[in-house]
């Protein structure tokens, strides 16, 4: 049983493929955490209960005889504010008396097959009830009558579980939720490092590893979007954990707004890890009978280092996060005009793109920003989603018909949550954007943010989008979002509920995305936020791929894609060959192949040599499609460890195929290059598709391949495809 309850010792045990997660109902119905880590057979862990030494000033519970129990040091399953636990807590409500002392205790539980959905929020899904088991624990605060249901789901066959929380106000008075983290895990030592992914526009998801200290440390977003600055991912890893070995606890929040991932120190040596909505910018008014659901946190445990952790996230997301038609069928190979033309294009010009695309075997043309209103630069027209027929040389339908007549599908760009200051929509509805009374609104890229917490605003924008998509043969939408949220207020909420706007904005965006996926089940949607500013599992629930970065330089992209791969599978990573100069077409293709693959440049500029290379790339895209989308990733040389080379491998699940890619960033003069492969079957024999040489998996992984003679000047790259005999 993946989830069990030992009624004698009152212990819950959640066993994933790789881990055990154990907690108990202690005296006075406190829920105490006992263990999370590599799988163990035991369920009676009372001897393991945390007994830190605590000082005489630590609060005790006078109803409990155990003088070694103090809320000050105990490992709580869902710690509350104000009741003797002085660390960062997971939950606080401000009650009708005006204080925020909260104390949830166990009431009851149930265990059942399957997994419930979370109302209004994206979450992982099961394909049948046998895919997962769920534990629900009901807790209640005796004084206010507010209840919390803790949800835990264990996915069978994965070293993964999810957690979320639903708050129910069962009292007869309104309360304010001040903090409601999705997950909390107390560890009894602090011998760990923390790994996070920081960045900015054009340099998203850089790997950072810092020792866990006796301080509160962590990452957050307050931008309204999950953001370029920090990804809602964090890992707690052993000091000796590396790519292949050691324990790694990965946390990822299925949420696209303000989040926090933090690690607080407990004075006696333990740490508390929290992940959820950032409480700094959040509050929620709960009337009697109202409910509030937190986003879902995904927790992966691997004892095969960071590589094992990533592979678990990848498989889990491929099978239980990405939904709809495009989850498992082949995606179109596309060309996007943005980097080639910006907004300076005509319908005729784009038809030439489609003509060249056809000659090269590309499936789809995506018309990016600039096709609507009077948008010839980024100063105007967001919100005015009316086709600029002058630019396209006629109605959109006719223009698309010209593209389709070539056998090329058509995709289009939208930025639904935004409004330009210079737009008819803003002139008509200046109160439709986020704003606060009496203050000037900050402007970014000449645009404001629409108040997507408002249904009337969402309905208006969606009706325009829906008409355009329904009336035209549109196979793909790029959903962009190009600024952070500031002056976050809504004209229709009372002052006491303004703290809800950040979260309501996210819920509003999800609601529109949901409608889009329901109304157009065949549509492929690619998310984008000035590149990868909203690369998170919340978005992946609606859009199976995300434009990874506006930086398409292949050398820079290696860093960005390595960081992204820590948590997200290759099938989600929007990657295109562009006109960037730092490497030739070969390397640009090899790097983009580790993603959705496509082109982002003017195909009219291709030389005959370019065309030959691109035709080869297109056939490689088809040849390696399944291996790259569904294979297991092994990061062999990371840019975090070497500024000279990067190497990665995809290995098919049956271990019968593998594709190795190596890129030289800076030439290593005069040194042999021996590379030990990973993830192969030591018993099987593999043939190198190019040279015909045959090697055992054991040899490839232990003796390695001698790659010294392969091209290794700055910007060079090569691939080796291996398959079993
Ligand atoms: C953002 C996106 C780009 C492009 C432009 C259009 O920057 O990341 O890919 O779509 O917007 O304005």
């Amino acid at each position: 049983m993946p989830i069990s309850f030992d009624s004698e010792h009152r212990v819950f045990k959640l066993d994933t493929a790789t881990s055990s997660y154990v907690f108990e109902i202690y005296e006075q119905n406190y829920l105490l955490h006992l263990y999370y880590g590599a799988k163990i057979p035991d369920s009676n862990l009372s001897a393991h209960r945390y007994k830190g030494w605590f000082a005489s000033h630590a609060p005790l519970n006078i109803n409990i005889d155990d003088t070694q129990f103090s809320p000050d040091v105990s490992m709580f399953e869902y710690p509350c504010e104000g009741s003797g636990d002085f660390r960062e807590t997971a939950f606080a409500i401000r009650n009708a008396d005006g204080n925020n002392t909260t104390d949830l205790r166990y009431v009851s539980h149930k265990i059942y097959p399957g997994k419930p959905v979370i109302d209004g929020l994206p979450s992982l899904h099961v394909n049948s009830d046998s895919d997962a088991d769920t534990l629900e624990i009901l807790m209640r605060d005796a004084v206010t009558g507010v209840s919390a249901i803790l949800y835990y789901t264990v996915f069978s066959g994965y070293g993964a579980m999810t957690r979320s929380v639903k708050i129910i106000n069962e009292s007869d008075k309104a309360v304010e939720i001040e903090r409601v983290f999705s997950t909390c895990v107390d560890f009894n030592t602090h011998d760990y490092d923390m790994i996070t992914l920081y960045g900015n526009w054009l340099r998203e998801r850089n790997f950072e590893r810092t020792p866990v200290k006796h301080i509160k440390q962590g990452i957050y977003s307050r931008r309204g979007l999950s953001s370029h600055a920090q990804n809602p991912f964090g890992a707690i890893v052993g000091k000796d954990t590396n790519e292949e070995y050691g324990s790694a606890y990965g946390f990822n929040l299925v949420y696209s707004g303000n989040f926090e991932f933090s690690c607080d120190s407990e004075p006696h040596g333990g740490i508390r890890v929290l992940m959820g909505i950032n409480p700094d910018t959040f509050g929620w008014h709960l009337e009697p009978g109202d409910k509030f659901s937190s986003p879902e946190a995904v927790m992966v445990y691997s004892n095969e280092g960071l590589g094992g952790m990533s592979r678990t996230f990848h498989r889990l997301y491929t099978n239980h996060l990405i939904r709809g038609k495009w989850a498992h069928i082949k995606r179109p190979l596309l060309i996007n005009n943005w980097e080639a033309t910006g907004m300076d294009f005509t319908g005729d010009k784009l038809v030439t793109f489609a003509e060249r695309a056809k000659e090269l075997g590309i499936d789809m043309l995506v018309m990016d920003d600039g096709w609507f209103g009077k948008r010839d630069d980024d100063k105007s027209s967001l919100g005015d989603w009316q086709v600029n027929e002058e630019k396209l040389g006629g109605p959109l339908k006719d223009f698309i018909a010209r593209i389709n007549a070539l056998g090329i599908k058509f995709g289009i760009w939208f930025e639904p949550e935004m409004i330009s200051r210079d737009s008819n929509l803003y002139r008509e509805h200046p109160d439709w954007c986020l704003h606060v009374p009496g203050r000037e609104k900050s402007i970014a890229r000449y645009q404001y943010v629409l108040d997507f917490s408002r249904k009337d605003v969402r309905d208006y924008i969606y009706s325009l989008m829906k008409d355009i998509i329904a009336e035209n043969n549109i196979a793909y939408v790029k959903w962009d979002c190009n600024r952070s949220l500031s002056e976050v207020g809504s004209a229709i909420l009372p002052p006491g509920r303004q703290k809800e706007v950040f979260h309501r904005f996210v819920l509003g965006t999800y609601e529109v995305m949901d409608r889009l996926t329901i109304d157009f089940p065949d549509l492929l949607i690619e998310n984008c936020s000035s590149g990868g500013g909203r690369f998170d599992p919340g978005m992946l629930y609606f859009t199976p791929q995300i434009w990874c970065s506006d930086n398409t330089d292949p050398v820079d992209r290696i860093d960005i894609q390595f960081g992204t791969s820590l948590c997200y599978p290759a099938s989600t990573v929007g990657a295109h060959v562009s006109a960037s100069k730092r490497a030739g077409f070969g390397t640009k293709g090899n790097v983009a192949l580790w993603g959705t693959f496509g082109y982002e440049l003017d195909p009219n500029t291709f030389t005959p040599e370019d065309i030959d290379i691109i035709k080869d790339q297109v056939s490689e895209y088809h040849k390696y499609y399944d291996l790259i989308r569904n294979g297991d990733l092994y990061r062999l040389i990371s840019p975090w460890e070497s500024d000279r080379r990067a190497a990665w491998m995809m290995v098919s699940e049956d271990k019968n195929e593998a594709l190795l890619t190596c890129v030289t960033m800076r030439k290593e003069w005069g040194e042999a290059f021996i590379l030990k492969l990973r993830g192969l079957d030591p018993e099987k024999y593999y043939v190198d598709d190019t040279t015909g040489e045959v090697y055992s998996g054991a040899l490839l992984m232990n003796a390695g391949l001698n790659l010294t003679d392969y091209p290794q000047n700055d910007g060079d790259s090569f691939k080796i495809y291996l398959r079993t005999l």
Side-chain angles (χ1 to χ4, degrees):
M1 276 293 286
I3 301 179
S4 58
F5 179 61
D6 172 344
S7 50
E8 186 190 341
H9 302 101
R10 305 218 298 167
V11 168
F12 295 98
K13 184 155 184 274
L14 286 68
D15 285 318
T16 76
T18 57
S19 63
S20 296
Y21 183 102
V22 191
F23 58 100
E24 66 172 342
I25 309 165
Y26 184 59
E27 290 181 38
Q28 301 290 320
N29 289 330
Y30 279 109
L31 218 48
L32 298 186
H33 183 75
L34 291 168
Y35 172 77
Y36 182 32
K39 210 163 178 163
I40 52 170
D42 322 58
S43 67
N44 179 9
L45 295 189
S46 51
H48 190 72
R49 185 177 306 131
Y50 189 57
K51 291 187 174 126
W53 173 91
F54 54 89
S56 54
H57 54 262
L60 297 170
N61 183 321
I62 46 165
N63 298 315
I64 293 182
D65 290 339
D66 179 356
T67 50
Q68 290 198 291
F69 172 83
S70 164
D72 198 0
V73 297
S74 291
M75 305 211 315
F76 283 116
E77 191 54 25
Y78 200 62
C80 299
E81 191 73 15
S83 306
D85 180 342
F86 302 100
R87 291 156 285 189
E88 183 91 6
T89 55
F91 184 56
I93 42 169
R94 194 158 292 276
N95 57 41
D97 295 334
N99 68 76
N100 73 348
T101 295
T102 313
D103 192 355
L104 291 172
R105 305 284 180 94
Y106 169 87
V107 178
S108 63
H109 72 270
K110 48 185 178 182
I111 298 171
Y112 52 88
K115 180 177 191 288
V117 294
I118 305 180
D119 289 342
L121 282 165
S123 59
L124 272 63
H125 64 265
V126 288
N127 301 306
S128 79
D129 280 354
S130 60
D131 284 354
D133 289 272
T134 295
L135 163 66
E136 273 185 41
I137 303 234
L138 176 65
M139 301 183 82
R140 188 166 293 126
D141 178 59
V143 173
T144 59
V146 170
S147 299
I149 302 174
L150 311 185
Y151 293 89
Y152 301 78
T153 295
V154 172
F155 281 85
S156 38
Y158 297 85
M161 53 190 273
T162 57
R163 283 186 64 176
S164 68
V165 182
K166 185 189 282 173
I167 309 304
I168 307 165
N169 185 359
E170 291 175 328
S171 75
D172 55 3
K173 292 181 182 142
V175 298
E176 309 291 325
I177 304 175
E178 293 190 332
R179 52 175 54 222
V180 53
F181 278 91
S182 302
T183 188
C184 170
V185 184
D186 282 358
F187 292 79
N188 60 9
T189 72
H190 79 285
D191 302 325
Y192 297 103
D193 287 344
M194 176 187 264
I195 293 173
T196 51
L197 298 170
Y198 74 95
N200 200 344
W201 181 52
L202 304 179
R203 55 178 192 95
E204 294 90 340
R205 289 173 293 286
N206 296 277
F207 179 92
E208 185 152 74
R209 183 168 181 160
T210 47
V212 166
K213 301 269 194 190
H214 292 95
I215 52 174
K216 182 187 166 191
Q217 62 198 94
I219 56 164
Y220 60 87
S221 170
R222 298 160 60 102
R223 295 168 175 270
L225 316 174
S226 48
S227 91
H228 299 84
Q230 295 287 355
N231 193 262
F233 163 82
I236 300 294
V237 303
K239 291 281 177 202
D240 56 356
T241 296
N242 61 21
E243 186 62 30
E244 259 178 288
Y245 305 108
S247 58
Y249 300 83
F251 296 82
N252 196 202
L253 194 65
V254 188
Y255 191 58
S256 309
N258 292 346
F259 72 91
E260 177 181 314
F261 171 71
S262 63
C263 178
D264 198 11
S265 173
E266 186 275 319
H268 309 291
I271 56 166
R272 169 168 295 164
V273 176
L274 287 167
M275 182 172 252
I277 296 178
N278 187 342
D280 288 354
T281 53
F282 169 79
W284 201 267
H285 180 84
L286 215 57
E287 285 289 329
D290 279 2
K291 297 178 180 152
F292 178 89
S293 291
S294 83
E296 180 166 271
V298 183
M299 294 161 50
V300 165
Y301 174 80
S302 155
N303 46 18
E304 289 176 9
L306 295 176
M309 178 196 75
S310 299
R311 288 186 288 277
T312 302
F313 272 118
H314 296 173
R315 278 212 182 286
L316 185 69
Y317 285 179
T318 302
N319 296 324
H320 297 287
L321 175 63
I322 318 263
R323 304 171 308 152
K325 173 176 168 180
W326 297 103
H328 295 291
I329 67 161
K330 196 160 182 175
R331 314 235 185 109
L333 201 177
L334 63 89
I335 183 161
N336 177 305
N337 70 303
W338 175 248
E339 287 196 24
T341 66
M343 298 178 209
D344 184 15
F345 61 83
T346 60
D348 286 344
K349 171 113 189 174
L350 295 188
V351 170
T352 69
F353 277 44
E355 286 164 353
R356 298 293 86 70
K358 183 65 192 167
E359 290 155 15
L360 293 165
I362 293 169
D363 306 312
M364 181 187 284
L365 172 79
V366 175
M367 175 170 69
D368 210 283
D369 194 355
W371 57 267
F372 52 93
K374 52 182 180 62
R375 190 152 165 102
D376 293 322
D377 59 32
D378 57 10
K379 294 197 171 68
S380 84
S381 301
L382 294 173
D384 296 346
W385 299 108
Q386 286 89 29
V387 178
N388 182 342
E389 295 192 355
E390 204 180 315
K391 203 175 207 175
L392 296 188
L396 182 59
K397 198 188 269 324
D398 295 353
F399 167 64
I400 297 176
R402 292 172 71 193
I403 307 281
N404 290 162
L406 296 163
I408 297 286
K409 296 187 176 66
F410 180 78
I412 198 165
W413 180 96
F414 282 99
E415 196 176 354
E417 298 141 285
M418 297 292 156
I419 178 167
S420 298
R421 182 161 57 183
D422 178 8
S423 64
N424 295 333
L425 186 64
Y426 185 64
R427 284 181 281 276
E428 280 160 33
H429 295 287
D431 63 329
W432 273 19
C433 56
L434 295 174
H435 64 284
V436 293
R439 275 182 210 286
E440 202 172 318
K441 296 180 286 297
S442 305
I443 195 140
R445 212 192 184 204
Y446 309 98
Q447 65 201 53
Y448 300 130
V449 182
L450 279 170
D451 181 357
F452 257 41
S453 74
R454 287 176 61 158
K455 186 163 183 326
D456 55 347
V457 174
R458 298 197 301 268
D459 285 351
Y460 174 80
I461 293 293
Y462 184 63
S463 72
L464 296 183
M465 283 182 81
K466 186 177 175 183
D467 286 351
I468 289 171
I469 298 166
E471 287 163 14
N472 296 285
N473 193 17
I474 292 174
Y476 161 110
V477 160
K478 180 173 171 185
W479 178 306
D480 212 336
C481 174
N482 282 316
R483 65 159 288 184
S484 307
L485 281 53
S486 60
E487 293 83 30
V488 177
S490 174
I492 60 164
L493 283 177
R497 302 196 85 146
Q498 291 292 327
K499 259 206 149 183
E500 299 176 10
V501 180
F502 268 118
H503 183 58
R504 285 182 180 276
F505 176 87
V506 179
L507 294 178
T509 297
Y510 287 154
E511 191 243 13
V512 178
M513 288 188 160
D514 202 37
R515 282 202 248 172
L516 191 60
T517 56
I518 290 168
D519 291 343
F520 302 102
D522 291 340
L523 192 68
L524 174 60
I525 311 171
E526 177 153 353
N527 188 256
C528 176
S529 178
S530 300
R534 213 159 44 170
F535 206 122
D536 60 61
M539 283 295 141
L540 287 176
Y541 175 84
F542 299 102
T543 77
Q545 55 194 57
I546 301 179
W547 183 229
C548 183
S549 176
D550 278 347
N551 187 339
T552 50
D553 174 280
V555 176
D556 291 341
R557 265 291 180 128
I558 286 173
D559 286 50
I560 297 168
Q561 292 181 194
F562 264 82
T564 306
S565 79
L566 219 52
C567 193
Y568 306 104
S571 68
T572 66
V573 175
H576 295 167
V577 173
S578 75
S580 62
K581 295 274 183 299
R582 213 138 34 125
F585 262 113
T587 295
K588 291 191 254 191
N590 286 339
V591 175
L593 205 56
W594 185 20
T596 56
F597 197 76
Y599 291 88
E600 185 107 8
L601 71 183
D602 185 347
N604 295 299
T605 61
F606 294 161
T607 64
E609 295 77 48
D610 296 341
I611 288 172
D612 286 345
I613 299 175
I614 290 167
K615 283 189 170 161
D616 284 349
Q617 289 176 344
V618 169
S619 72
E620 285 184 338
Y621 166 80
H622 294 294
K623 178 174 175 185
Y624 300 131
Y625 187 89
D626 286 334
L627 177 55
I628 292 170
R629 268 75 195 166
N630 301 316
D632 281 320
L633 170 71
Y634 290 83
R635 289 176 292 252
L636 304 184
I637 308 174
S638 295
W640 318 318
E641 287 148 11
S642 160
D643 62 353
R644 293 178 177 275
R645 274 199 195 100
W648 62 96
M649 262 176 94
M650 300 301 305
V651 181
S652 62
E653 202 175 357
D654 60 10
K655 296 189 183 293
N656 286 338
E657 276 185 292
L659 181 69
L660 164 71
T661 309
C662 298
V663 181
T664 302
M665 282 91 84
R666 202 150 57 87
K667 186 179 170 73
E668 186 112 46
W669 288 95
E671 225 180 17
F673 178 23
I674 313 288
L675 187 62
K676 293 181 185 172
L677 308 193
R678 292 213 291 269
L680 301 173
D681 183 339
E683 309 278 321
K684 288 181 175 165
Y685 280 81
Y686 294 84
V687 58
D688 177 329
D689 206 36
T690 313
T691 63
E693 293 283 340
V694 175
Y695 314 92
S696 69
L699 178 140
L700 290 166
M701 292 193 290
N702 293 302
L705 272 179
N706 188 340
L707 302 171
T708 312
D709 292 337
Y710 280 76
Q712 278 165 85
N713 284 318
D714 293 5
D716 279 350
S717 66
F718 59 88
K719 298 192 291 297
I720 295 178
Y721 174 59
L722 300 159
R723 58 185 165 76
T724 46
L725 283 174

